[in-house]
């Protein structure tokens, strides 16, 4: 079969491939749907780069490893990908997993562009090897706290499971709310059954409950219990980490999935590139793409730009982070150093607080923009 010619203006991609390692949660206990969206964005962007001639005639190749939300598995994957000769790492959704991957990438001298994890302390010490697209947790969750205050909530209960990520989020909320007259009431989900959460909310006179727990459980059981308790008819349920973004949330909870505000990292209007990518992602996923899919696409946009401008040598990639200036799906991406964050950071990806519309849970309402 004759190979078709490349499109006009594109170079042939018949040189040796440039390999990018991709860390993605694709099995439990990882958030599989988030992983699928992240991977869809990464794969679509690689396809688009290659359709346009690749990198100086060399195709990009994605080497995917499933982290399954396991930090040790992620660290082992970083070791393997480094041995396989990848030029850089991309991806990861879960913050604690991304932190393990970042530490290992830093130790090996392997550039890592983290797509979606938000934990402020992504590395223990400042590093030149790691950059991040997602906004830091302190930035997004402070905006979420401002939304709560603006909606009149001052007594806010937090149902939390033990995790560095959840503990960090609770601290951000507590510090930000306390300075503005708000109170955070901690509910330890190791000690409480979902039904018992309702009694605690009544006893503490909470007007909002934030879910800092896993999905589907105990999140689904907590929502169901609270929604069925007539004493709590006026309480706001929130999920700042973004669980309601995904279709699995609506499938699990039906009408109860609506009116639960969460953080989403999208602008009110996508860039022209973003509008085109949204159409392609919708076709690829057979569903509306989440912000995580756009994060995946933007990751490859950045890495392709770096590879074109600075080559595939790992040290040169790491040195290029402060010189990145590229149009992504959600705005112009640049990296800088930010106080309290040890990696190169996009300051900031757009942030929204949204929820599912009670009149149509498949439709999202924008409630607050940061």
């Amino acid at each position: 079969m004759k190979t078709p010619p490349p499109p006009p203006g594109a170079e042939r991609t018949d040189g040796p491939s440039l390999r990018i390692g991709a860390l993605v949660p694709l099995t439990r206990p990882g958030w599989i749907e988030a992983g699928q969206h992240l991977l869809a964005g990464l794969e679509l962007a690689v396809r688009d780069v290659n359709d346009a001639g690749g990198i100086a005639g060399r195709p990009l190749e994605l080497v995917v490893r499933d982290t399954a939300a396991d930090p040790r598995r992620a660290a082992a994957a970083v070791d393997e990908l480094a041995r396989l000769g990848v030029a850089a790492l991309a991806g990861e959704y879960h913050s604690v997993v991304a932190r393990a991957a970042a530490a290992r990438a830093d130790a090996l001298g392997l550039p890592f562009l983290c797509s979606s994890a938000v934990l402020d302390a992504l590395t223990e010490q400042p590093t030149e090897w790691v950059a991040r697209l997602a906004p830091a947790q302190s930035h997004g969750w402070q905006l979420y706290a401002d939304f709560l205050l603006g909606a009149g909530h001052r007594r806010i209960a937090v149902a939390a499971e033990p995790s560095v990520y959840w503990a960090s989020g609770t601290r951000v909320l507590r510090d930000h709310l306390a300075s503005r007259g708000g109170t955070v009431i901690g509910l330890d989900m190791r000690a409480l059954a979902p039904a018992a959460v309702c009694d605690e909310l009544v006893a503490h006179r909470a007007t909002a409950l934030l879910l800092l727990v896993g999905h589907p459980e105990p999140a689904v059981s907590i929502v169901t219990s609270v929604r069925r308790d007539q004493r709590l008819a006026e309480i706001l349920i929130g999920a700042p980490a973004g669980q309601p973004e995904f279709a699995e949330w609506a499938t699990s909870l039906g009408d109860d999935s609506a009116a639960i505000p969460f953080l989403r990292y999208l602008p009110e209007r996508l860039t022209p590139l973003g509008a085109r990518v949204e159409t392609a992602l919708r076709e690829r996923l057979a569903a509306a793409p989440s912000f995580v899919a756009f994060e995946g696409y933007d990751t490859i946009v950045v890495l392709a730009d770096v590879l074109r401008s600075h080559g595939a040598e790992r040290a040169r990639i790491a040195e290029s982070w402060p010189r990145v200036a590229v149009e992504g799906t959600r705005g112009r991406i640049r990296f800088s150093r930010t106080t309290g964050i040890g990696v190169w950071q996009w300051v900031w990806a757009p942030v929204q607080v949204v929820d599912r519309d009670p009149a149509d849970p498949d439709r999202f309402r924008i409630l607050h923009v940061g």
Side-chain angles (χ1 to χ4, degrees):
M1 176 190 255
K2 186 175 179 182
T3 302
E11 302 176 58
R12 296 181 65 90
T13 52
D14 52 7
S17 63
L18 282 169
R19 308 180 89 186
I20 302 294
L23 303 174
V24 187
L26 294 173
T27 54
R28 294 288 186 196
W31 189 292
I32 296 173
E33 193 172 3
Q36 291 168 339
H37 280 236
L38 178 57
L39 183 59
L42 293 166
E43 289 179 336
L44 177 64
V46 166
R47 188 199 73 181
D48 287 353
V49 169
N50 289 338
D51 285 351
I55 309 296
R58 299 176 63 182
L60 281 185
E61 178 188 352
L62 210 58
V63 185
V64 180
R65 292 295 180 267
D66 173 19
T67 63
D70 184 338
R72 290 174 296 181
R73 184 165 171 170
V78 174
D79 286 342
E80 180 196 3
L81 292 165
R83 290 194 301 270
L84 291 174
V86 300
L89 294 174
E92 195 44 51
Y93 173 77
H94 297 286
S95 283
V96 176
V97 180
R99 187 173 66 161
R104 197 68 197 128
D106 180 44
L108 296 173
L110 180 58
F112 175 30
L113 180 51
C114 183
S115 303
S116 197
V118 300
L119 193 66
D120 281 42
L122 198 58
T123 56
E124 294 293 334
Q125 302 294 332
T127 175
E128 301 297 319
W129 294 99
V130 182
R132 174 167 56 188
L133 288 173
Q137 188 177 28
S138 58
H139 176 71
W141 288 44
Q142 284 175 9
L143 289 170
Y144 193 91
D146 288 337
F147 158 73
L148 292 172
L149 292 167
H153 297 286
R154 293 294 186 276
R155 295 187 62 78
I156 296 149
V158 172
E161 293 180 311
S163 157
V164 171
Y165 175 61
W166 298 130
S168 172
T170 300
R171 187 165 54 251
V172 170
L173 292 168
R174 180 173 283 118
D175 291 348
H176 195 72
L177 291 165
S179 65
R180 291 158 178 79
T183 300
V184 169
I185 302 147
L187 303 180
D188 185 350
M189 293 312 299
R190 292 172 299 183
L192 292 172
V197 170
C198 298
D199 293 334
E200 293 293 321
L201 296 174
V202 172
H204 288 285
R205 295 178 290 109
T207 65
L209 167 66
L210 305 187
L211 304 174
L212 275 58
V213 295
H215 178 269
E217 291 299 338
V220 168
S221 294
I222 295 172
V223 172
T224 301
S225 295
V226 172
R227 293 286 203 226
R228 300 292 180 271
D229 194 315
Q230 292 303 311
R231 299 173 298 171
L232 301 172
E234 300 301 319
I235 200 163
L236 173 79
I237 305 175
Q243 298 97 322
E245 169 81 358
F246 297 99
E248 184 183 356
W249 177 268
T251 300
S252 299
L253 283 161
D255 290 345
D256 286 343
S257 67
I260 298 179
F262 63 94
L263 285 167
R264 179 170 75 168
Y265 307 128
L266 288 176
E268 292 186 79
R269 180 170 297 178
L270 293 165
T271 67
L273 171 64
R276 179 179 65 77
V277 167
E278 180 181 33
T279 299
L281 284 170
R282 188 181 292 270
E283 181 178 343
R284 180 174 285 252
L285 291 162
S290 70
F291 69 86
V292 181
F294 291 100
E295 289 175 326
Y297 192 96
D298 284 341
T299 302
I300 298 300
V301 168
V302 170
L303 289 175
D305 181 73
V306 167
L307 290 166
R308 290 189 192 101
S309 302
H310 302 282
E313 201 272 317
R314 290 172 177 175
R316 290 187 59 117
I317 293 171
E319 290 166 1
S320 73
W321 299 133
R323 293 189 285 278
V324 167
V326 63
E327 194 71 22
T329 61
R330 299 164 297 145
R332 193 154 185 83
I333 299 168
R334 299 175 183 269
F335 296 113
S336 59
R337 288 298 195 184
T338 303
T339 301
I341 297 172
V343 304
W344 289 98
Q345 176 73 53
W346 181 16
V347 184
W348 298 100
V351 180
Q352 301 171 342
V353 179
V354 305
D355 70 359
R356 290 179 177 271
D357 188 342
D360 179 6
D362 289 332
R363 191 176 78 85
F364 294 105
R365 304 182 298 184
I366 298 174
L367 307 175
H368 183 75
V369 176

